[in-house]
Amino acid sequence: MQPSMFNLRVPLAARDEVFLMNTLTDAQLVVSPDVAALLDRAAGGNLSGPFGPTDDEREALTLLTENGFLVDDRATDRRGLDEYLTGVKSNTDELNVTLLTTLQCNFACDYCFQGDHGDYNKHADKMSLATAGRVGDWLERELERVGPERFVFTFFGGEPLLNLPVMYQLAERMWNLTQARGVRMLVNIITNGLLLTPDVVDRMLPFGLNGIKITLDGDRDTHNRMRPLRGGQGTFDRLIDNIRRVAGRCRISIGGNFDESSVDSYPALLEFLKEQAFADQLVKVNFKPIIRAEAPKERDSGLGVRDSAGESQIPNPKSRMIPLVLVGASNKPLNGTCMTSAGAGGGSTCDNCDFLDDKMSFLRDETKRLGFTPHDGVHNGPCHVHMQHAHTIGPDGSLYACPGFTGQLATSTGHVDDRHDASREAARLQFDRLDPWRECGDCAFMPVCAGGCVASSFSQLGDMNRPTCHKRSFESALISLAHTAASAAP
């Protein structure tokens, strides 16, 4: 027996205990140092002393083995990872669909509208009711083919509330279909919040509305700078008022996108939210970084991607790091979903990923300190791009593996009309063969990361099978998770 490659541990000095986690089995234990020492002895092949393990040690070894902390050999771990990811890929328990009602948006976020402040993407695609009807037909066929227990339906954009007729039509149709088949349906809406009203919530509640996510990019002044209206007007007060009006009607979560200029305003935002009457109605508060669209210039990157001036469009090759979130990188109108890129990305922050990871850890701790629930930062995946029964549908009916590719027809994996063409089939096969984690060596975070964000790899490097790595952020989140688990332990 030997320790699993997926073992992680955090010393809990104040308790004289150790937090153990296995990312493949998701087992989490708070144990004495003696139990953790058994794993060290197993690593050194020293379990069988002159008298063998004691009865207490045998009991501990059985517990460690049952939870995956001890395995026969490294090949067992590798097979376990392959079986787990294969299971994730083919799982039919859930059909998960993200629908973009439109790529248009009524905000003028400077990080989303690079070079597009003239028309604010008003000419971007918007789903028609006729296309929505064909989407409904395709979803009905998928329900029959997959036979899921749950149907998770997320409305996204652009700004999804700019196309309420499509949202209402499809939500009602799918509710009727799922109820007739005994399938649980959950509806989520990701919105900037400007058009969110009690009427919208009340209209969606009968169709399985599960939650609404609204974005706040820092305190009042910072948010108004980062996310203004087309005319430059601030939006913070309007959004807070809208949240206040719908709080209690449905689950609300808060998201936010930070960069170097805005991250330090988030504690003030959290303090403000804590003072609001709706604070206890917020089910989750989670922030993530954005990357300014300045393509770094690195010659001799060895990756062969250069612009017309001969400059490399690849992030710093020394770091081999990719940002967690990418935004528009060219001077063309935004072609993909909100907060995604249709071209090369990058920027100064990308070249210093420790900044991102440190700030994410800081904001996670601040969020918890003020009594809100953040994402734990460890269970980040595998994401939907690795799941056969998770799809994104663009406004024209094109299918994509995840929202990060929407609008890039070269990456479309199909169409709701079931049309067949060589390019879509090639893209589908490419996504089907994805395995970026193969380059991650013996990293313990592979089961919860699967190689990172495929959309980022594609946008930055033109290679979906190049892993993106934010191990430092995972490690910091693990420490927080360990202390949370320890505080809940008797």
Side-chain angles (χ1 to χ4, degrees):
M1 303 292 286
Q2 67 181 51
S4 167
M5 63 187 279
F6 303 115
N7 290 350
L8 297 165
R9 70 173 69 183
V10 177
L12 302 169
R15 299 171 55 109
D16 192 28
E17 291 178 314
V18 178
F19 173 78
L20 298 178
M21 179 178 183
N22 183 281
T23 57
L24 184 61
T25 65
D26 200 28
Q28 300 171 39
L29 301 175
V30 177
V31 301
S32 68
D34 290 342
V35 174
L38 283 175
L39 290 172
D40 296 330
R41 287 169 54 189
N46 299 323
L47 285 177
S48 56
F51 304 104
T54 65
D55 289 343
D56 286 345
E57 288 175 338
R58 288 193 187 93
E59 184 178 347
L61 289 170
T62 298
L63 178 67
L64 292 171
T65 301
E66 290 175 347
N67 285 277
F69 292 100
L70 284 172
V71 296
D72 289 336
D73 50 33
R74 185 63 75 239
T76 301
D77 264 339
R78 292 289 181 187
R79 285 195 303 271
L81 178 64
D82 288 343
E83 290 170 3
Y84 167 69
L85 292 174
T86 297
V88 167
K89 183 176 184 177
S90 60
N91 186 278
T92 60
D93 291 345
E94 179 177 290
L95 175 61
N96 194 301
V97 174
T98 298
L99 181 95
L100 280 73
T101 66
T102 180
L103 295 182
Q104 297 175 7
C105 187
N106 45 7
F107 275 28
C109 310
D110 64 347
Y111 52 77
C112 284
F113 291 86
Q114 290 293 328
D116 191 29
H117 287 79
D119 61 25
Y120 300 97
N121 224 25
K122 68 182 180 182
H123 299 299
D125 289 345
K126 186 175 185 179
M127 183 173 287
S128 67
L129 288 173
T131 299
R134 293 192 291 274
V135 169
D137 294 340
W138 182 85
L139 290 172
E140 184 172 2
R141 295 194 298 272
E142 282 296 287
L143 283 174
E144 288 295 323
R145 184 179 70 85
V146 178
E149 298 176 4
R150 296 180 306 280
F151 173 54
V152 179
F153 202 10
T154 300
F155 292 97
F156 190 32
E159 171 46 47
L161 302 189
L162 285 172
N163 197 354
L164 288 173
V166 160
M167 187 172 79
Y168 292 154
Q169 173 180 302
L170 280 169
E172 182 174 5
R173 177 175 179 180
M174 296 313 300
W175 177 257
N176 292 333
L177 287 172
T178 53
Q179 298 315 290
R181 290 162 173 76
V183 176
R184 185 186 181 199
M185 177 167 159
L186 300 171
V187 169
N188 302 306
I189 302 172
I190 301 174
T191 171
N192 60 35
L194 188 69
L195 301 178
L196 183 63
T197 66
D199 288 343
V200 171
V201 172
D202 292 345
R203 179 72 181 269
M204 294 296 289
L205 279 173
F207 308 137
L209 181 62
N210 176 58
I212 297 175
K213 180 179 178 181
I214 299 167
T215 302
L216 297 173
D217 279 3
D219 63 12
R220 184 180 188 275
D221 290 342
T222 305
H223 174 93
N224 287 339
R225 171 175 60 83
M226 299 283 285
R227 296 177 69 81
L229 293 176
R230 298 180 183 183
Q233 304 95 327
T235 58
F236 186 85
D237 291 339
R238 173 83 172 269
L239 301 191
I240 294 299
D241 187 54
N242 287 351
I243 295 171
R244 188 176 294 119
R245 293 167 65 203
V246 303
R249 277 180 159 86
C250 67
R251 290 156 47 94
I252 300 290
S253 64
I254 300 296
N257 311 297
F258 67 83
D259 65 5
E260 301 95 326
S261 73
S262 65
V263 65
D264 291 332
S265 74
Y266 276 82
L269 168 64
L270 290 166
E271 293 280 2
F272 173 84
L273 292 175
K274 186 65 176 177
E275 296 171 356
Q276 304 308 303
F278 58 73
D280 60 354
Q281 303 290 329
L282 301 178
V283 296
K284 186 145 311 221
V285 177
N286 195 55
F287 307 121
K288 60 186 179 181
I290 57 175
I291 307 299
R292 293 288 171 178
E294 299 172 6
K297 297 180 178 181
E298 284 286 343
R299 296 183 184 274
D300 303 320
S301 68
L303 295 173
V305 181
R306 298 180 181 276
D307 62 18
S308 59
E311 301 290 354
S312 171
Q313 297 299 297
I314 299 302
N316 185 349
K318 296 177 182 178
S319 69
R320 298 296 184 190
M321 298 286 186
I322 310 281
L324 294 177
V325 179
L326 295 170
V327 299
S330 66
N331 291 325
K332 299 178 181 179
L334 183 70
N335 293 320
T337 59
C338 179
M339 294 299 299
T340 65
S341 171
S348 60
T349 311
C350 178
D351 298 332
N352 186 5
C353 289
D354 285 352
F355 169 88
L356 295 180
D357 296 335
D358 288 345
K359 290 299 184 181
M360 289 183 68
S361 299
F362 164 71
L363 291 178
R364 188 184 304 113
D365 290 342
E366 284 291 288
T367 302
K368 290 177 64 177
R369 182 180 67 83
L370 288 164
F372 297 113
T373 303
H375 191 282
D376 68 24
V378 176
H379 298 90
N380 283 353
C383 77
H384 290 161
V385 76
H386 299 294
M387 303 176 186
Q388 290 179 334
H389 306 305
H391 308 276
T392 294
I393 304 177
D396 66 342
S398 292
L399 300 174
Y400 299 89
C402 84
F405 292 95
T406 314
Q408 303 177 71
L409 288 179
T411 63
S412 172
T413 57
H415 195 279
V416 296
D417 290 342
D418 289 334
R419 64 184 66 167
H420 297 284
D421 59 67
S423 63
R424 294 182 200 265
E425 179 63 15
R428 187 190 66 79
L429 290 174
Q430 186 176 17
F431 280 101
D432 191 54
R433 293 192 292 263
L434 281 178
D435 56 358
W437 61 88
R438 301 288 183 195
E439 295 189 28
C440 294
D442 291 344
C443 179
F445 291 104
M446 281 188 287
V448 295
C449 172
C453 179
V454 171
S456 295
S457 297
F458 178 74
S459 294
Q460 287 283 310
L461 303 174
D463 185 352
M464 291 185 237
N465 265 318
R466 284 285 300 278
T468 65
C469 183
H470 283 266
K471 187 174 181 178
R472 180 185 173 101
S473 181
F474 278 113
E475 290 171 340
S476 176
L478 177 70
I479 294 172
S480 180
L481 178 64
H483 287 284
T484 299
S487 64

